[in-house]
Amino acid sequence: MAANAKRPFGSWSPRDVIDPKRALIPSVVRVNERRVKQGFWPKVTRTAAHIPFADRLLSVWYAARDPKTPVAAKGIMLGALAYFVLPVDAIPDVFVGIGFTDDAAVIAALLATLGSHVKPRHHEKAEQALEDLNAR
């Protein structure tokens, strides 16, 4: 496992970085953080009106970016957010109506296990972000 931890950014496949068994390997956390940083807002901006779990997704985003959130929880959150961002999906997002059901399931599972780390302040920021997106 130590050898895997030192793999460079480009050598992790999308399936590797969303594998829960690898979610806390430091290099996987960095890959997920970079992919989420690059792809999260563009995808949310395009899809927020079409996904009923946008508020929960954004709450997880804010929790993952909060310095007070424990590192282990952040690693798992970043893995879930990377799953949302990456085009490699169990159900491709282009299928209208069902394309985001797998993403919703991942976020629901994350909140069921780590929901205590998503604080009211994260929900408030998410609500404000959704209002801002809807005002555009």
Side-chain angles (χ1 to χ4, degrees):
M1 184 153 132
N4 282 343
K6 296 183 184 206
R7 288 170 58 179
F9 175 74
S11 68
W12 289 103
S13 76
R15 292 222 186 270
D16 288 337
V17 298
I18 60 173
D19 181 349
K21 294 177 201 141
R22 295 185 170 124
L24 298 179
I25 295 173
S27 58
V28 171
V29 171
R30 285 191 300 276
V31 168
N32 284 340
E33 191 170 28
R34 186 178 297 168
R35 286 195 171 133
V36 169
K37 187 176 180 179
Q38 292 170 351
F40 183 78
W41 281 108
K43 188 164 183 179
V44 166
T45 301
R46 284 190 320 270
T47 62
H50 307 290
I51 52 175
F53 62 98
D55 58 333
R56 292 173 294 271
L57 180 73
L58 286 163
S59 295
V60 172
W61 159 264
Y62 285 111
R65 304 213 11 109
D66 188 336
K68 294 179 182 176
T69 301
V71 173
K74 283 184 185 187
I76 301 296
M77 289 174 183
L78 288 168
L81 293 170
Y83 185 81
F84 172 74
V85 169
L86 291 171
V88 176
D89 241 331
I91 303 171
D93 297 340
V94 296
F95 293 123
V96 177
I98 64 165
F100 289 105
T101 54
D102 58 327
D103 300 288
V106 168
I107 296 301
L110 174 104
L111 289 171
T113 56
L114 295 173
S116 64
H117 297 293
V118 182
K119 305 294 183 189
R121 66 181 174 272
H122 304 134
H123 292 291
E124 291 166 10
K125 286 182 180 180
E127 287 175 27
Q128 184 60 53
L130 277 177
E131 285 178 26
D132 294 346
L133 284 171
N134 290 331
R136 289 183 184 181

